[in-house]
Amino acid sequence: MTAQLIDGNALARRIRAEVSGRTQALKARGVQPALSIILVGDDPASQVYTRHKVNDSTETGLKATLETYPADLSESALLDRIRALNADPQVHGILVQLPLPKHMDASKVIETISPAKDVDGFHVASAGALVTGQPGFWPCTPYGCMKMLESIGIDLRGKHAVVIGRSNIVGKPMAQLLLQKNATVTICHSATRDLKAMTLQADVVVAAVGKRNVLTADMVKPGAVVIDVGMNRNDEGKLCGDVDFEGVRQVAGWVTPVPGGVGPMTRAMLLVNTLEAAERAAR
Ligand code: NAP
């Protein structure tokens, strides 16, 4: 069997087109959806990510403002700026690019963002809303993974989903979203004794570890759906995921590629969350 690909680029294009349409409708009512992005310091990867976020937003009609500050900005100055953005009715989404410089407490910074504007979905109120099924913002990466599963028409009810990784921004919210769709969910992590025994039972595997070849063909049940969140570099320096793609595609029913899988979906879901924040504010 050769797995079908879940094309993240194509799906993200469709989602961006939907965002554009809804943004036009909101603008026609006099509301300009707006995202404020804060970047502290000069981490090169963060500079690239924030530039992408601004460009993606602009292309879909959202207004994005990037504020950059030197690495020695004080924590209290950053918190004051976030409070001012919280109070600004023209701003619907606030995103503080992580990682922050070491002298700042990232949790404190994230908790200062108003949950109504927490479009990254990292605030404890957003996490709590996700766990309890209340309206809130879902973190963009697991949200994008759910859209990918939806796109192939899989009914998750009663399916066994195995999530490898338990970070607050990917693994844990991913497991919650799968649970909401009535999957039976197993969460694996670095202390899991026999990962292969778990993944071999899975109808859906989500790998979110950050290590190459965490999931190989012998660990996958024939026909399973495999979502690869990982972003690593191979020996040639090329971007690759956590999944041994060439091996796993011989066994799985569906698989996401890296690049061109979860990455573009993460970017697209930030636009969806920002638009949603603006629509809620306009209601
Ligand atoms: P993280 O915070 O480092 O979490 C990694 C998780 O993997 C931890 O829960 C860890 O377990 C677990 N783990 C480590 N080694 C393991 C092993 N051998 N077997 C099973 N589990 C193991 O990373 P993250 O932020 O969740 O990100 C995960 C990956 O996704 C990274 O490659 C990251 O770059 C990528 N990512 C991609 C996107 C995207 O848009 N494509 C977005 C976000 C993240 P413990 O908890 O026990 O330490």
Side-chain angles (χ1 to χ4, degrees), residues 6-21:
I6 310 179
D7 184 342
N9 282 324
L11 185 55
R13 256 196 307 278
R14 286 211 292 280
I15 288 172
R16 285 199 302 272
E18 280 169 30
V19 169
S20 292

Side-chain angles (χ1 to χ4, degrees), residues 141 164-167 169-171 188-191 195 208-211 214 229-232 242 262-263 266:
T141 300
I164 318 175
R166 57 171 166 182
S167 70
I169 61 169
V170 189
C188 299
H189 44 77
S190 66
L195 183 62
V209 174
K211 288 181 186 159
V214 156
V229 179
M231 285 200 309
N232 311 295
D242 290 346
V262 175
T266 297

Side-chain angles (χ1 to χ4, degrees), residues 241-264:
D242 290 346
V243 173
D244 169 23
F245 180 78
E246 286 309 326
V248 165
R249 73 185 304 191
Q250 305 305 321
V251 184
W254 294 89
V255 64
T256 66
V258 178
V262 175

Side-chain angles (χ1 to χ4, degrees), residues 21-40:
R22 279 165 61 191
T23 300
Q24 290 312 320
L26 209 52
K27 282 183 176 174
R29 292 169 51 202
V31 180
Q32 167 64 68
L35 170 66
S36 278
I37 302 170
I38 295 180
L39 173 61
V40 186

Side-chain angles (χ1 to χ4, degrees), residues 126-199:
S126 301
L130 171 56
V131 172
T132 53
Q134 305 290 316
F137 292 106
W138 296 344
C140 301
T141 300
Y143 193 3
C145 293
M146 292 306 288
K147 284 281 174 194
M148 293 178 111
L149 290 169
E150 193 185 299
S151 77
I152 61 168
I154 184 176
D155 179 5
L156 290 165
R157 186 179 193 83
K159 298 279 192 316
H160 188 185
V162 170
V163 179
I164 318 175
R166 57 171 166 182
S167 70
N168 289 337
I169 61 169
V170 189
K172 283 181 198 159
M174 186 74 228
Q176 288 297 334
L177 289 169
L178 289 161
L179 192 60
Q180 268 188 20
K181 291 288 178 192
N182 298 311
T184 300
V185 183
T186 301
I187 306 176
C188 299
H189 44 77
S190 66
T192 297
R193 287 226 177 102
D194 188 350
L195 183 62
K196 180 176 171 179
M198 300 297 156
T199 58

Side-chain angles (χ1 to χ4, degrees), residues 71-149:
D72 62 358
L73 179 77
S74 71
E75 187 185 84
S76 63
L78 176 59
L79 299 185
D80 284 346
R81 183 60 195 138
I82 292 170
R83 290 187 192 105
L85 292 170
N86 284 343
D88 184 346
Q90 308 294 328
V91 173
H92 304 105
I94 302 170
L95 183 153
V96 178
Q97 185 66 40
L98 302 177
L100 285 165
K102 290 203 175 5
H103 67 278
M104 291 187 179
D105 177 348
S107 308
K108 200 164 150 191
V109 171
I110 299 301
E111 299 325 320
T112 302
I113 298 172
S114 162
K117 301 188 178 187
D118 175 37
V119 288
D120 248 346
F122 294 168
H123 196 291
V124 284
S126 301
L130 171 56
V131 172
T132 53
Q134 305 290 316
F137 292 106
W138 296 344
C140 301
T141 300
Y143 193 3
C145 293
M146 292 306 288
K147 284 281 174 194
M148 293 178 111
L149 290 169

